[in-house]
Amino acid sequence: MSAPPRISCVILCHNYGRYLDQAITSCMEQEPGNFILQEIIVIDDGSNDETEEVCLRHKDDVKVIRRQRQGFAQTLTDAFLLATGDWVALLDADDWFHPSKLRTCAEAMAGGALFIEHWENVVDSDGNPMVKEPHPGGNTSTLVVHREAARSLLPAANEIFFHALREAGHGIVLSTPSTFYRIHPRSMTDRSTPGVSQDYRAEVCTALADRLQAMRGDPPDWATSRRLQRISLHFRTIALGHQIESTMQRGRRLPAMLLIPGMLISTLRARDSIAPWLRSLSSVITGRPIVRLNARQ
């Protein structure tokens, strides 16, 4: 019988001190299961609010890494360099875990999985539900990633880098909502300015595609060189979709139309589903962006 997986909870924090206590407590109060809570780490990325005070209250239970501001990408990368568990459960400090999260994810770790993604409950700044039904995950706080597999993709610009493990056939998606994902005026992601979020995602997907292409010469254990090529094309296709959406949100219909043929070619080369391309095509034809922007709170 194999040993229970050791899970490191790593909380990423920059000026989210007012939410941090709830994030830490949610890691400490996980239901028992077939796993070992290896550690709880808080990476305080140059906060100048009450973050340090909150960390001091939990100094006997949490390892704190406090440093000058280095940005989200470096903090995300450091999460996997600092953790010592077999798996890393990422948590943005403004979110919190459901008590059953680690138990539920641990049950899915057998059988060669390297990447676990689950659904989320979307809440407002006060923790009140914003939507009635759970929402698909994919963002930082909904991922639990095998540490060694993740390290092969470092440095990571964004949590999307670890989605490559799912595309390589080593991922599991759970429909159980195991994270409370908080949307508030000071969220890191700008969802109200037209094109900003899509431009960022396009840059990340392009960077990941470049990284996967470079890895083909010395492929990791979880993918062949041929598979890396296909996954690279997949993320280039996604990047083009984000670029089309960005131009549509900015009201630039003609530039979006010019990107449509390239997205189709990339889709076919990656052997992806044609559905995302059809959505982008429909968006350009009707003149309506796909993503509804959030108003500033």
Side-chain angles (χ1 to χ4, degrees):
M1 186 174 182
S2 60
R6 299 172 301 142
I7 305 177
S8 298
C9 292
V10 184
I11 302 172
L12 318 180
C13 186
H14 174 67
N15 285 341
Y16 283 159
R18 60 198 177 282
Y19 304 125
L20 181 58
D21 185 83
Q22 187 172 25
I24 293 174
T25 301
S26 75
C27 294
M28 296 173 58
E29 296 183 350
Q30 286 293 299
E31 297 174 358
N34 186 36
F35 68 92
I36 296 170
L37 178 55
Q38 178 78 1
E39 60 203 346
I40 301 171
I41 301 173
V42 175
I43 305 179
D44 176 8
D45 189 42
S47 299
N48 54 19
D49 62 355
E50 63 267 43
T51 293
E52 184 176 14
E53 177 184 337
V54 175
C55 289
L56 286 172
R57 293 204 299 267
H58 293 279
K59 61 184 176 63
D60 294 332
D61 302 297
V62 175
K63 179 180 179 181
V64 180
I65 308 299
R66 183 170 173 83
R67 82 283 182 88
Q68 295 296 315
R69 177 85 162 130
Q70 296 184 34
F72 175 75
Q74 187 60 53
T75 304
L76 180 62
T77 296
D78 288 345
F80 291 91
L81 297 177
L82 295 167
T84 60
D86 307 307
W87 291 77
V88 176
L90 299 164
L91 180 60
D92 286 329
D94 53 341
D95 302 331
W96 76 94
F97 289 157
H98 189 279
S100 65
K101 163 152 176 156
L102 298 188
R103 174 179 59 77
T104 302
C105 290
E107 293 170 357
M109 289 175 181
L114 300 174
F115 173 96
I116 298 171
E117 171 186 339
H118 59 71
W119 285 40
E120 63 192 5
N121 291 308
V122 181
V123 300
D124 63 18
S125 57
D126 296 320
N128 301 311
M130 290 188 68
V131 293
K132 293 181 179 180
E133 300 298 326
H135 189 273
N139 56 65
T140 311
S141 300
T142 64
L143 305 183
V144 183
V145 190
H146 192 275
R147 178 171 57 94
E148 288 304 318
R151 284 188 173 191
S152 67
L153 289 160
L154 300 182
N158 179 276
E159 68 272 13
I160 291 172
F161 269 49
F162 308 122
H163 291 195
L165 298 170
R166 180 191 62 204
E167 298 304 320
H170 299 291
I172 293 177
V173 178
L174 305 174
S175 58
T176 307
S178 298
T179 288
F180 294 88
Y181 177 67
R182 197 188 311 258
I183 294 179
H184 54 94
R186 297 182 65 182
S187 292
M188 185 183 72
T189 304
D190 183 349
R191 296 180 179 83
S192 59
T193 306
V196 170
S197 178
Q198 282 66 39
D199 285 346
Y200 171 66
R201 292 176 183 275
E203 290 173 6
V204 169
C205 288
T206 300
L208 175 54
D210 291 343
R211 175 74 54 76
L212 294 168
Q213 187 69 24
M215 291 169 63
R216 291 185 63 204
D218 185 19
D221 294 339
W222 49 267
T224 63
S225 177
R226 184 174 181 179
R227 193 63 178 268
L228 290 172
Q229 170 72 4
R230 184 173 174 181
I231 301 171
S232 175
L233 289 169
H234 168 74
F235 283 103
R236 290 195 193 284
T237 302
I238 294 176
L240 282 166
H242 287 310
Q243 290 171 15
I244 291 169
E245 176 65 14
S246 170
T247 55
M248 288 301 297
Q249 287 188 9
R250 291 183 164 98
R252 301 174 60 201
R253 193 173 177 187
L254 178 59
M257 190 176 300
L258 296 176
L259 291 170
I260 286 290
M263 185 179 177
L264 176 59
I265 293 170
S266 184
T267 297
L268 296 175
R269 290 184 64 199
R271 287 180 268 174
D272 282 352
S273 166
I274 203 169
W277 177 78
L278 289 173
R279 285 195 294 270
S280 293
L281 177 63
S282 176
S283 172
V284 171
I285 291 173
T286 61
R288 293 193 298 267
I290 297 171
V291 179
R292 186 178 68 178
L293 296 177
N294 293 335
R296 289 193 180 276
Q297 299 181 30

